Structure formats: C-alpha cells, structure tokens
Amino acid sequence: MADINATFHESWHRVAELKPRLRTGIHVVRQIFRQRRWYVIQDQANNAFTRINASGYAFIGLLDGSRSVRQAWDICNQNLGDNAPTQGEVMQLIGQLATSNLLAGDAVPDATAMFGRFKRRRTRDIQGRLMNLLFPRIPIFDPDALLERILFAVAWIFRLPGLLLWLSLIAYAAYTIFSGGSTGSSMFAESAGLLRPDNWLLLFLAFILDKTVHESGHAIACKYFGRCAGTGGEIHVIGVMLLIFTPVPFVDASSAWLLPDKWRRAIVGAAGIWMELALAAMAAIVWRHSSPGSTTHAFCYNLMFIASVATLLFNGNPFLRYDGYYILADLLEIPNLLSRATQFASYLVRRHVFGVKQAIDPTESLGQRIWLLIYLGLSGIVRVLIYTGVILFLVSNLRHYPQLTLLLVIMATVAAATWLLVPVGRGAWYLLSSPELVHRRARALTASIIACGALLIAFGIVPLPHYTRVTGVVRTTGQRGVYAATSGFLRWYRPTNPRHGVVNSDTLLARLDNPVLQSRLIRARFRLTAAEFKRRKALASDRAMAQILSRQIHAIKSEISRLQAHVNNLNVRAEAGGVWISGDMRLRIGAYIHRGERIGTLAHLSRPMVLAPASQNSAGRIIRYGRRNIYLRVAGRPSPMIAAVLTSVYPAGGTSLPSPALSYLAGGPLAPSLHSRKPAKTAAPFFLLVMQPATGARLLPGMRIVARIRLRNQPLLTDLIHELRRTLQPGTGF
C-alpha cells in the first residue's frame, strides 16, 4: 500500500475521473485552531459535523459537479504548491465525505449506495448504544422552537448581570455555611447518611432536578451564543439518558461546535456546571435556614452535595467524556481529544513497533503530540479508577439483595466486554487480518506476544507489597460513661484536652438548662411560703387546720428537695478522676439532652486498645501474616501512623459491634442488620481483633481507627481476583 503522504497514490485512477460536489443543505463555518484555519461542515439533515483543513476545503470548493477530481487536484497544485493535498489525502477526504453522505454526483452513484451508508452508520450507532448499556440515550422531542420563544427571558444568565448575580450567590452561600460556627462541621458530618436506604428517594429526586437544570444551562447557552455568532445554536434533541439505570435528562448541544470563538464554546460546555453551582448555592442557603431533621433540610443537603461535589468530580473532570472534557478540548484547540490521542498512540505502535511505513500521523506539531500523550496516560488511569470504583461500589451495595443478582451479573458482563474483551478482540482481529500488516505480520505478532508476556509477568507473577485495612474503635481500661441525671438543654461543656485534661472528682463537666424545672422549683417555694403563712394564722384559731397545713408543708418541702436535686444535677460533675472526653458535644450546644443520655467518657489512657471487626477471609490472612505489621491512624485525620500488635482474636460468629460508630448509620464501614433495630448489630458475622498500640500512644476512647496491616507479598493480579471474589460473594467480607 502506498504512503498517503506521498504525492501520488496507486489507487488514484479509481477516483480521478469522478465529478462529485457537496450536497445541498450543507452549512460551513470557518474556525481557527492553533493559528491554522479549519472548516466545520454541518449536515443539517442529521446534525452531523465534519472538520477539514484549509487545503482540503480549497479542494472541495473546486468540486462543482462539472469538474473532475483530477482537474481539481491539478488546480490545487498550481495555486497551493507544497500546501496542496496529496493524492492519498484527496482519496481519504473523498471517502470521509462520502461516508458521511456529504457528496452528490459521481461519488454517490445512486440512492441505494447512499441508503446503504446511512444504514451502516445507523447500525454503528445502535451497536455503540448497545455496547454502552450503562449509558443509553433515548430522544423524546425537539425543543428548538420553545427555546426561541423563551430566550429573551433567560439569556441574561450568561451576560454580565448573570455573572455578577452568580458570584454574589456563591459568595453568600459560602458565608451562610461557614459563618455559623459548627455549621461547616455538621455539613460534612451529614454526608455519612447520603447512601442510607431511607435517603434514596430524596437523593434520586435531587439528582433529577439537578440534571434538568444542568441540561437547561447547556441548551440556553448554546442557543444564546449561536444567535450572537450567527450560527443559529439549534437544539433539536432533548431526551432521557439512563445513567447506570437511572433516568436523567439530556440535550444535544453539538451545534456549539459551529461557534468560531473557542471561549464561547468553552462557556457552553461549562454552562451546565455554572447552573449546577448556582443551584447548589441556593440549596445551601435553604439548608442552613431550615429545621434539622425536616424533609426540606434533607432534600436541600442532597441537592447541595450532588450539584457541587458530584458535578465537579464527574462533569468537571476533563478525563471523562463529560463537560470538562469538551472544555479542555476547546481550550487546547484539539477537537476529538481522546480519539486523537488514541489514534496517535496507535500510530506510534504501528509505525515504530510494527514497522508500518504508511501509518498516518494524526498530529500537526510537537506541542500537540506532547499534549496528546500526557492526556492519554492520565485519562486511562483516571477512567479505569473511576469506572471500576463505580461498578465495585454498586456491586458492594447491592449484593445483599438477591433479587438484584441478575442485574449485577449483567453489569459485570457488560463492563468486562466493553473495557476488556472488545478492545482485545479488535486488537487480535487487526493483527490477524489487517492488510497493512501483510509483510510485517510476524513482527507485529512477536511484539504483541512479548508485550502481553511482560504485562503478565508484571501483574501476575512479580510479588508486590500487599495490605489490608480494618476499621475499629478505641477502648481503655477503667473507662466509664458520664450520663445526664436530669433532662435539659446543653449550654456549656468542658472541652476535651487529652494532654492536660485530667479532671478530679466533682469537677464541673457540663451545664444544662431546664426552664420548666426551674420554674416549678420557684412555684413550689412560693407555695411553701403561702402554706407557712396560713399555718401560723391557723394556730391561733383552728388547731385541726394547722395540723393539715403542717402535713402540706412537709410534702411541699419534700417536693422542693427533689426539684432542687434535679436542678443541681443540671450541673454534670465527675464522679471520679480521669481524662474527660466530650466526644461530639461541640455539635450539640443548644440541643435537648434526655435524662440518662451519655454526654462523655471518663477514662485512664495508660493502656488503650483497638477493637476491630474483620471478615472471615481477612481475619485468616491477618492472623497468619499480619500480627506485628500493623499501623494505626485516626479515621479522617492526617495523623502520624502508630505501630501496634495483634494481641488476641475472638472467634467468628459475632454480630454485635463493639461500638455503634462502626455501623453505616454512624458513618462506619459495616452494614447493619436489616432484621434488628439495634444499630450495633451487623448483617454478617465477623472476627473481633484486639490490637495493642505502642506505648505512649495518645488515643481517646470512642475514636474510630483505621488499621493498615501488611500481609504476605503477592502479585497484583492475585490481589485483584481476591478483591473481586470478596466483592461479588456476600459473606466473604464486608
């Protein structure tokens, strides 16, 4: 096969005498990419786009239906000189335009050929949708006429007034959240309940509302900037996309590709995130001023989380094919960034490894090559981590429901086929049947086998350090709880100070306030004064009444004594000496504390220990290999690692956690039992590991601890298979 970059091509005679022309209904827009002129051709019949360079467009402009391909090429050589397209490039361009049904005339001999190409393209689209079962798209209606009618009322969002309002809204929401003292901490604390079953409906409704606003932002921005640039900004498709079997709206804003200004294209790409952050700000303001525990409070928190954290992690991520990807492609001026990077990597392999001399370099400059290689490497890592994490997360959370077993199997099969089997199959088919490897097939097969062998050795044979993690809670000797003896509102508490926090007996630890109790005490004292006055008066005239009043006075004094004891108990004092640990009382200032409710702990910190539940599979490996390779860290803190040893193991079969803090309901890692009302009951039995920290470790009772335990070295592939088995088989782990 001839080199496409050579001036002449061995198959030129096949197209030289054809007299094609661009089909009617074609719209062309000129754009500048990296100081070079390009042309975007839009087929208005199906809203498809094709991009060609200046020399290619000069050639296409000469094809009017009466001039042959040979004549047009000769004219290009006379006018453009060395910049004229080669015969191979002309053939590639004609084939590209014909495949997209953009040519009429000799290049498309009859309607049957056009319909055949249309059917093949539709077949490819359907195959792509079937291969992407996790994200299928279902069109519903054409919203372009509706957008035309409402544009005058909403276009201000993307002008200067809209920008100022957006900045003010974001600033006020941030001030509202973080100006309330403990509000910022409570905001992060509430994230532990996002995935609770009783929150699923609110999370789903918040997700639908968020995505509706997101797609509306794209549609409005595309229509507005399209009108400003004269390209129309047409939006002809709005529908529903099943995002991991969850219906969410979507719009086709591909007409933004016609915008000549890259900054406007980037704004259209960022419009969804723009609208979502504004929605998150409004939700944060309502959340801050709504009553904790109410449905409005919970819904606004879900909406705030999805429209800020989730949208920045996914839509704002340039390594996933969402908004961030198109924004980065526009700013780098490299359209089809991922496909270009993949084509460039394929070119490097085919040209320099397989020795295919006619391989086409899709890049145009050294800077573009560097960007493509960097993006391809980072994109591969990020996409694999995110997609694998999503699949494993869904499997781990749905595996306890037998009715969803078939769904899990389908998800795992589709993921394996899409990300592993299909690419491997395509690569094998290319190696075995590609015409460009006719004289180099042995070299290509040898290089591929060597590469696969190296990967197998690296991932399946070479042992690497292997760790497992368990989460536990701190216990100490002599630990005792401090409880409220009288109900009341918390007004003050003694903060925890593990270094200088040793308190003596009778030290004031917390102060409660109970206005009702205190008013009852005042009324009882007034009643006592009145009864004593009546008794003194009755002594002079009615002895019997005086005796009755004496008994009433005795009863009132008993009531006053009891009420006074309750009022005194509003000041919670230490019954013995020790280190005072107040826990999360900072978040409960002003809250109502019930009688008998725990408000803190008194303990001796001389010998703390960590109690950690572990699955049967993990416990066996820990007992064999990890007794002295344990390092502890306080959960959620970048604290130094603390060495520890495994001192004892309680047999498997227990389902009662050493602390409710390890349950999902309190933000812990273990699923609670669905058949028990006690939060400390787990769905699966476990071993209980007892670990002793190194001498001098300052750990407080009730702290959640993450223990990293080093096990025997093993290959990465073995570790991956083990983790998949543990995730897919309930009962083998948490």
Side-chain angles (χ1 to χ4, degrees):
M1 183 180 295
D3 189 344
I4 197 170
N5 292 319
T7 302
F8 302 101
H9 197 280
E10 60 187 15
S11 300
W12 176 249
H13 64 280
R14 297 174 182 264
V15 300
E17 303 306 323
L18 297 178
K19 298 180 179 180
R21 60 176 176 81
L22 282 178
R23 193 162 49 82
T24 56
I26 301 300
H27 183 56
V28 181
V29 175
R30 185 177 66 177
Q31 294 182 349
I32 303 297
F33 292 95
R34 294 180 174 267
Q35 289 79 47
R36 299 183 64 178
R37 189 166 63 250
W38 292 80
Y39 294 85
V40 177
I41 302 177
Q42 179 191 18
D43 184 356
Q44 296 178 326
N46 56 18
N47 206 34
F49 298 86
T50 302
R51 188 177 71 105
I52 60 177
N53 57 22
S55 61
Y57 184 72
F59 171 79
I60 293 298
L62 295 172
L63 298 179
D64 56 2
S66 61
R67 186 180 287 116
S68 68
V69 172
R70 185 192 304 276
Q71 292 171 337
W73 185 66
D74 290 339
I75 295 174
C76 281
N77 285 324
Q78 295 174 4
N79 296 335
L80 302 179
D82 292 339
N83 293 325
T86 65
Q87 291 182 351
E89 291 171 341
V90 167
M91 294 181 61
Q92 183 186 41
L93 178 60
I94 292 176
Q96 179 183 359
L97 296 177
T99 302
S100 301
N101 278 333
L102 296 175
L103 291 182
D106 289 344
V108 186
D110 51 38
T112 303
M114 177 183 292
F115 186 67
R117 285 193 296 271
F118 173 77
K119 288 198 301 183
R120 287 193 295 271
R121 187 172 66 250
R122 293 291 297 173
T123 302
R124 287 196 302 269
D125 293 342
I126 294 174
Q127 289 175 347
R129 293 180 181 179
L130 291 177
M131 290 300 298
N132 203 8
L133 286 180
L134 296 179
F135 311 99
R137 295 190 173 195
I138 305 172
I140 296 181
F141 73 97
D142 185 341
D144 195 67
L146 176 62
L147 287 172
E148 288 283 358
R149 288 195 293 269
I150 67 172
L151 186 63
F152 75 95
V154 295
W156 62 271
I157 296 174
F158 299 103
R159 297 174 185 156
L160 182 59
L163 174 61
L164 296 177
L165 178 62
W166 186 83
L167 292 174
S168 301
L169 190 62
I170 297 296
Y172 180 68
Y175 171 78
T176 301
I177 290 176
F178 297 105
S179 64
S182 62
T183 306
S185 301
S186 62
M187 178 182 65
F188 293 109
E190 285 191 33
S191 63
L194 279 172
L195 298 180
R196 289 189 321 214
D198 58 351
N199 189 56
W200 287 353
L201 178 60
L202 293 179
L203 191 65
F204 174 75
L205 295 177
F207 186 74
I208 295 298
L209 175 60
D210 172 69
K211 293 307 169 188
T212 302
V213 172
H214 175 96
E215 297 300 327
S216 300
H218 285 311
I220 295 170
C222 184
K223 173 61 69 174
Y224 170 65
F225 288 113
R227 290 279 296 274
C228 293
T231 59
E234 298 177 356
I235 304 291
H236 291 294
V237 177
I238 186 172
V240 174
M241 177 175 64
L242 297 182
L243 185 63
I244 315 180
F245 306 104
T246 302
V248 295
F250 81 93
V251 297
D252 182 7
S254 56
S255 59
W257 292 345
L258 295 176
L259 295 174
D261 185 1
K262 70 175 183 179
W263 293 104
R264 287 184 171 179
R265 294 195 301 272
I267 292 175
V268 172
I273 301 176
W274 174 297
M275 298 289 285
E276 281 188 274
L277 292 179
L279 183 65
M282 291 186 286
I285 295 170
V286 176
W287 171 80
R288 176 66 178 86
H289 293 94
S290 59
S291 175
S294 65
T295 303
T296 301
H297 187 82
F299 177 78
C300 288
Y301 185 83
N302 285 278
L303 185 59
M304 176 175 58
F305 181 86
I306 292 174
S308 57
V309 177
T311 194
L312 292 178
L313 286 178
F314 289 92
N315 280 316
N317 189 338
F319 301 110
L320 301 179
R321 297 199 68 171
Y322 297 120
D323 298 339
Y325 167 80
Y326 295 104
I327 295 171
L328 180 63
D330 284 323
L331 296 181
L332 292 180
E333 298 183 332
I334 306 179
N336 303 318
L337 183 58
L338 181 59
S339 60
R340 293 280 296 279
T342 305
Q343 292 171 8
F344 181 56
S346 173
Y347 160 76
L348 292 178
V349 173
R350 291 157 54 211
R351 179 69 176 83
H352 300 289
V353 179
F354 296 167
V356 179
K357 302 296 184 182
Q358 67 272 24
I360 303 172
D361 186 354
T363 61
E364 300 152 5
S365 64
L366 176 61
Q368 192 176 94
R369 296 185 186 101
I370 295 174
W371 275 114
L372 291 178
L373 288 177
I374 293 175
Y375 181 82
L376 184 63
L378 295 177
S379 174
I381 295 172
V382 173
R383 289 165 68 89
V384 168
L385 289 177
I386 290 181
Y387 287 152
T388 304
V390 169
I391 293 296
L392 293 180
F393 171 79
L394 291 175
V395 170
S396 63
N397 281 272
L398 298 178
R399 65 183 184 181
H400 298 294
Y401 303 93
Q403 61 271 28
L404 298 177
T405 302
L406 179 60
L407 177 62
L408 297 180
V409 172
I410 293 175
M411 291 173 57
T413 303
V414 171
T418 304
W419 302 327
L420 181 62
L421 299 181
V422 171
V424 171
R426 287 177 176 174
W429 180 256
Y430 168 78
L431 290 173
L432 296 176
S433 62
S434 176
E436 71 178 10
L437 296 179
V438 171
H439 303 295
R440 302 170 182 85
R441 201 173 308 279
R443 174 177 172 176
L445 289 172
T446 302
S448 300
I449 292 173
I450 292 174
C452 291
L455 289 176
L456 180 61
I457 293 173
F459 291 99
I461 298 178
V462 177
L464 299 174
H466 177 55
Y467 298 88
T468 188
R469 287 176 172 81
V470 294
T471 303
V473 66
V474 177
R475 287 283 181 85
T476 61
T477 57
Q479 176 178 329
R480 66 173 65 187
V482 177
Y483 303 90
T486 303
S487 301
F489 296 94
L490 180 64
R491 299 305 182 194
W492 175 86
Y493 77 100
R494 180 180 293 276
T496 300
N497 190 336
R499 295 188 179 274
H500 308 287
V502 178
V503 298
N504 300 319
S505 178
D506 203 41
T507 301
L508 183 62
L509 303 177
R511 183 180 295 116
L512 308 180
D513 184 18
N514 191 327
V516 174
L517 184 62
Q518 291 164 342
S519 66
R520 286 173 58 191
L521 178 60
I522 293 173
R523 288 199 302 269
R525 287 173 176 168
F526 277 118
R527 283 167 36 219
L528 175 62
T529 302
E532 289 177 341
F533 176 78
K534 290 179 181 179
R535 177 179 174 275
R536 287 194 298 268
K537 184 178 180 180
L539 285 174
S541 58
D542 190 349
R543 288 286 194 176
M545 180 57 69
Q547 291 180 359
I548 294 173
L549 291 172
S550 295
R551 287 194 293 269
Q552 289 182 357
I553 290 172
H554 178 74
I556 294 173
K557 286 182 177 180
S558 298
E559 182 183 359
I560 291 175
S561 178
R562 180 173 55 84
L563 292 174
Q564 185 63 54
H566 287 317
V567 170
N568 293 338
N569 288 334
L570 291 175
N571 293 324
V572 182
R573 298 181 179 275
E575 297 180 358
V579 175
W580 164 243
I581 302 162
S582 59
D584 61 349
M585 298 305 292
R586 178 171 60 89
L587 305 178
R588 305 189 63 187
I589 292 293
Y592 189 76
I593 307 297
H594 293 277
R595 179 182 178 183
E597 188 173 348
R598 186 168 183 161
I599 61 174
T601 303
L602 284 170
H604 298 284
L605 305 184
S606 56
R607 291 187 62 81
M609 58 183 177
V610 177
L611 306 181
S615 67
Q616 300 179 30
N617 196 343
S618 299
R621 294 181 297 152
I622 292 171
I623 294 171
R624 286 195 299 271
Y625 308 114
R627 281 187 171 272
R628 295 189 174 276
N629 297 314
I630 302 175
Y631 294 91
L632 310 178
R633 181 179 55 81
V634 179
R637 298 185 186 177
S639 53
M641 304 294 284
I642 302 171
V645 295
L646 181 64
T647 57
S648 58
V649 180
Y650 289 92
T655 57
S656 296
L657 292 172
S659 171
L662 299 177
S663 170
Y664 277 168
L665 303 179
L670 305 184
S673 173
L674 300 179
H675 308 291
S676 176
R677 294 185 177 181
K678 297 180 179 180
K681 286 287 186 178
T682 61
F686 55 81
F687 281 87
L688 187 61
L689 310 180
V690 181
M691 293 171 282
Q692 183 67 54
T695 304
R698 305 291 293 184
L699 298 178
L700 303 181
M703 278 184 169
R704 214 166 32 218
I705 300 295
V706 177
R708 190 184 72 164
I709 306 171
R710 179 164 183 172
L711 305 176
R712 183 178 61 178
N713 293 351
Q714 64 183 30
L716 186 61
L717 184 60
T718 303
D719 187 27
L720 177 61
I721 294 174
H722 166 74
E723 291 298 324
L724 288 175
R725 288 181 55 195
R726 186 179 71 86
T727 302
L728 296 174
Q729 297 179 6
T732 62
F734 299 115

